[in-house]
Amino acid sequence: MSGSGRTRPRCRKGTPMLEGLLTPGAGALYDAMVRTGPLPLDDPRAEGPEMRELFDRGFVRRDYRDDPVIAPMEPVRAVDHAILGAQQQLLEQQRQIVAARQQLDVLQAVYRAANGSGGNAAVEVLTDPRRIGSLSLELCLSAREEFLTFTTRHFKRKPDASTVMRLPEAVTERGVALRNVYERAALEFEGAKEVVDASVAAGWTMRVAPELPMKMVIADRHSALVPLDPSGMEGALFVRSPTIVASLRMLFELVWSQAVAVHGPASQPRHGLTTTQAKVLDLLATGMTDGAIARHLDVSERTVRRHVQGLLEALQADNRVAAVFAATRLGWLG
C-alpha cells in the first residue's frame, strides 16, 4: 500500500451504502458513480432497475452539455432530498395511525349496533338508500357554520355538473362554509372539470387527496354520516355523539391539511407561474396522470407535458417527485 496516496472514505464493511434510503443494488451503483464518474447512456446499467430507482429518488440526472451521460447528483443534495422523502413517508404513516385511532369510536359503535349491544341512541344504523340520501341533504340544510364532505371514487353513477349540491339562499346567507375533499381517482373521469367548476361556483372549497378511507358528511359539530363499507352500498351510520363527531372532524382536518387545493376558473397566478401552470402543479402534486390532468383542464396531453417540463426547469428538478418536494419547500403549493 502506497503511503502517498489519499485514502477514500468508505462505508463500514458489510453495511450497504445509504441503507434505508436506497436498495443495496441502487446504493452500490450510486457509490460507484460517485467514485468513477458519469455513465454514458449506452452503458448496460443505464436501463436497469437500480438506475430507475436512482432517477426516481433524485440521485442521478441526465447531462447533455457535451456527450450525453447520466451523472450522479452531489451527495449532500441527493441525500437531503431522500431524507425529506423518508420524513414525508413517516409523517404519512403517523397520520394514518392517528386517523385509525380516531375511527376507533366509530368502529366500536358499528360493532355494538351490529351485535345488539349498548343501544346507544346517539348512533343509528341506516339501510334504506332513500333515507340516507335525504338525510345527507337534511344535514346540509341544518348546518350553521360548516358542512364538510369526503368524496371517494365509489359512484352509483358517474357525476355530472347537474348533480352538484346547490344550497337554498337561506343556507348560503348564513355564511356556511362548504368544504369537500375529493379522492384523486374521483377526479380522473371524463367531465370532472365541469363538476369542480360547478362546485366552486356553488360556493364549495375543493381539495384533492391521493386516497380517502371512506365517504363522509359532517354538519357542524352535531351530526355525521359515514358508510358501513367503502362503497356506501351496505348502509350508513348516522352519528350524533359529540365525541365521535369531534373525532371525525379531526380526521377531516388532518386530511384537509395535507390535501392539495383545487382552484376554480378564476384561479390567480402564484409565484410567477401562469394560471395553467399553477393548476398543473396542484394536480401534479396529487399524483394525477398527464391524461387525467389534460381532461381536468380541458387541454391536450402534449400541453400538459410542456407545462410539466417548464415546472421541472423552474424548480430545477429532475423528475416529478423532486418537483413536488421542491414546490412544497418553496411554498408554491396551497
Side-chain angles (χ1 to χ4, degrees):
M1 180 172 62
S2 172
S4 60
R6 177 178 295 178
T7 302
R8 291 183 177 181
R10 289 187 176 275
C11 212
R12 189 174 57 199
K13 186 175 181 181
T15 301
M17 179 61 68
L18 299 175
E19 183 177 14
L21 296 179
L22 294 172
T23 61
L29 178 56
Y30 178 70
D31 182 33
M33 293 178 68
V34 168
R35 297 175 187 279
T36 62
L39 293 180
L41 295 183
D42 59 359
D43 188 292
R45 292 170 292 178
E47 299 296 330
E50 293 82 6
M51 187 64 76
R52 287 196 294 272
E53 179 180 345
L54 293 180
F55 272 113
D56 289 341
R57 299 293 179 88
F59 277 80
V60 296
R61 60 182 175 82
R62 291 183 177 88
D63 189 338
Y64 297 98
R65 286 175 294 183
D66 296 312
D67 293 332
V69 295
I70 299 175
M73 296 293 289
E74 183 181 1
V76 67
R77 291 180 57 195
V79 174
D80 180 58
H81 172 73
I83 289 174
L84 283 173
Q87 289 174 335
Q88 186 70 18
Q89 290 180 342
L90 290 174
L91 287 173
E92 177 63 18
Q93 290 173 355
Q94 179 65 20
R95 184 196 67 77
Q96 292 174 353
I97 291 171
V98 171
R101 287 175 174 169
Q102 290 165 350
Q103 293 180 55
L104 177 60
D105 285 342
V106 177
L107 295 174
Q108 183 68 13
V110 172
Y111 176 83
R112 288 180 175 179
N115 288 274
S117 60
N120 187 353
V123 178
E124 181 182 355
V125 177
L126 307 176
T127 56
D128 183 351
R130 291 173 298 179
R131 171 59 178 150
I132 295 171
S134 63
L135 181 58
S136 180
L137 178 58
E138 290 171 16
L139 289 179
C140 187
L141 296 176
S142 72
R144 295 285 173 175
E145 298 176 359
E146 283 192 311
F147 187 65
L148 315 174
T149 61
F150 279 169
T151 301
T152 70
R153 64 186 180 277
H154 300 288
F155 302 129
K156 293 181 181 178
R157 62 179 181 273
K158 190 178 75 171
D160 59 67
S162 65
T163 66
V164 172
M165 185 181 294
R166 291 177 173 81
L167 306 182
E169 291 184 3
V171 176
T172 55
E173 287 176 358
R174 291 200 298 265
V176 176
L178 309 174
R179 291 190 286 158
N180 177 60
V181 180
Y182 268 109
E183 187 173 33
R184 179 181 66 210
L187 285 182
E188 294 189 344
F189 59 86
E190 195 75 30
K193 176 181 182 297
E194 288 73 18
V195 172
V196 170
D197 288 349
S199 298
V200 173
W204 291 85
T205 302
M206 319 288 287
R207 292 192 177 185
V208 181
E211 191 173 7
L212 292 176
M214 60 184 176
K215 299 177 181 178
M216 184 166 67
V217 168
I218 303 176
D220 294 333
R221 290 170 173 77
H222 59 73
S223 303
L225 192 63
V226 296
L228 295 179
D229 69 302
S231 69
M233 301 299 291
E234 300 298 324
L237 195 67
F238 180 31
V239 181
R240 285 163 288 186
S241 163
T243 301
I244 301 176
V245 173
S247 298
L248 292 171
R249 283 181 60 91
M250 189 172 294
L251 169 62
F252 180 90
E253 295 297 350
L254 282 169
V255 174
W256 181 265
S257 67
Q258 297 186 21
V260 177
V262 178
H263 300 282
S267 176
Q268 297 298 319
R270 295 169 289 141
H271 312 288
L273 301 180
T274 66
T275 300
T276 304
Q277 284 176 325
K279 288 184 177 181
V280 170
L281 177 59
D282 287 337
L283 298 176
L284 189 67
T286 72
M288 277 192 182
T289 63
D290 288 350
I293 294 174
R295 289 193 300 273
H296 186 74
L297 299 182
D298 195 22
V299 298
S300 68
E301 288 191 45
R302 182 176 179 181
T303 298
V304 171
R305 288 193 291 270
R306 177 167 55 81
H307 284 306
V308 170
Q309 185 59 41
L311 289 169
L312 294 180
E313 293 173 359
L315 292 164
Q316 298 182 345
D318 296 299
N319 54 62
R320 297 169 184 230
V321 174
V324 171
F325 276 120
T328 300
R329 295 176 68 183
L330 291 170
W332 286 22
L333 290 171

